[in-house]
Amino acid sequence: MLSNKECSFIAIFGESNKYLSLSNEAVITVKANMIDLFTGGEPFTTTVPVTDLGAFMDLTDDSNPTGQQYRYWQVSIEDTLNPNDIEISAIFLGDHIDFQFNAKQQFQFDRQDLSRKATSDSGVVYTVRKNQFNTFTAMGFSYIGTDERRALQSSIETVGVTSPFVFVLDPLELAYEYQFGTVLCYFQDIPNFTQAYLNKFNISFALREVV
């Protein structure tokens, strides 16, 4: 992969609404270099832990508090106990924001199907089948401070409504079904902030799953 930018997080996801098809013995190795050469001795090498929801890892450390910056990246997956093909939907490598507060626990989850069905004059039914996808509405953050608002607003301006991003809820703080907690998605619309009171803000947003 080519990514000449600072990367603070990597994530590997399974297919939509499915667990990642890797065994617990799978080894995911991530290497990075300034040149397109991976023969050993790269300046950055790490192993990404595997969970049922996917493979995730924070790439920051004490020496690189904002992430790693290399031009070329290599991801290798070895799973000798997996008799089936490895199926993934996306690999995310880039920046992330780790909020010290949770999203609102109430939200609306809908399954969308844009397939079309029409009936001819003679009664024959014609269909055009399209991909289904999930939408998450009435989500948001409440009473966030000025620094958090600025960080979130910067991310919103970066991704807009055209760039996919990963939205993850902290499983240690909020119980959820797995398809709710980790979503590769787009913003449905650009979120807007409202001031609840002095230097405290609320924001609501809606997400559409990437298919």
Side-chain angles (χ1 to χ4, degrees):
M1 294 184 293
L2 179 62
S3 177
N4 191 21
K5 61 177 294 185
E6 202 166 51
C7 298
S8 63
F9 195 79
I10 184 170
I12 301 175
F13 297 94
E15 294 182 287
S16 177
N17 292 327
K18 292 183 180 180
Y19 291 111
L20 186 65
S21 60
L22 293 175
S23 74
N24 293 332
E25 300 299 321
V27 177
I28 300 178
T29 303
V30 177
K31 299 180 180 181
N33 205 345
M34 292 305 296
I35 59 175
D36 190 12
L37 182 64
F38 296 92
T39 58
E42 291 78 20
F44 178 79
T45 301
T46 189
T47 301
V48 181
V50 179
T51 70
D52 288 339
L53 300 181
F56 314 95
M57 189 171 188
D58 191 318
L59 299 178
T60 62
D61 55 33
D62 292 340
S63 300
N64 300 277
T66 58
Q68 311 289 334
Q69 184 165 3
Y70 294 95
R71 185 172 179 83
Y72 295 94
W73 294 77
Q74 182 187 76
V75 178
S76 63
I77 302 175
E78 296 183 10
D79 191 4
T80 57
L81 298 183
N82 193 341
N84 303 313
D85 293 333
I86 297 174
E87 297 178 345
I88 63 176
S89 63
I91 297 178
F92 171 84
L93 180 64
D95 198 7
H96 79 297
I97 298 177
D98 184 8
F99 293 104
Q100 302 304 313
F101 50 85
N102 282 320
K104 294 188 296 185
Q105 297 195 23
Q106 296 81 24
F107 60 87
Q108 182 172 337
F109 165 74
D110 295 296
R111 188 69 176 169
Q112 304 290 335
D113 188 347
L114 301 183
S115 301
R116 292 178 294 172
K117 182 172 64 175
T119 304
S120 69
D121 293 340
S122 61
V124 177
V125 176
Y126 296 93
T127 62
V128 177
R129 186 173 182 178
K130 297 187 177 181
N131 289 329
Q132 297 182 11
F133 57 91
N134 296 326
T135 58
F136 303 83
T137 57
M139 305 190 77
F141 297 110
S142 299
Y143 307 116
I144 63 176
T146 300
D147 291 341
E148 291 85 359
R149 178 194 62 79
R150 289 173 177 169
L152 185 56
Q153 186 171 355
S154 176
S155 295
I156 291 171
E157 292 172 354
T158 298
V159 301
V161 297
T162 58
S163 298
F165 63 95
V166 181
F167 185 78
V168 181
L169 297 177
D170 187 349
L172 300 178
E173 300 292 339
L174 183 66
Y176 56 80
E177 296 182 42
Y178 73 91
Q179 67 263 43
F180 297 154
T182 304
V183 185
L184 182 63
C185 57
Y186 298 98
F187 280 123
Q188 290 271 55
D189 299 292
I190 289 292
N192 294 310
F193 295 89
T194 58
Q195 181 169 276
Y197 55 91
L198 183 61
N199 294 330
K200 292 295 180 180
F201 301 86
N202 297 333
I203 178 176
S204 296
F205 53 88
L207 307 177
R208 169 179 169 163
E209 179 187 31
V210 174
V211 294

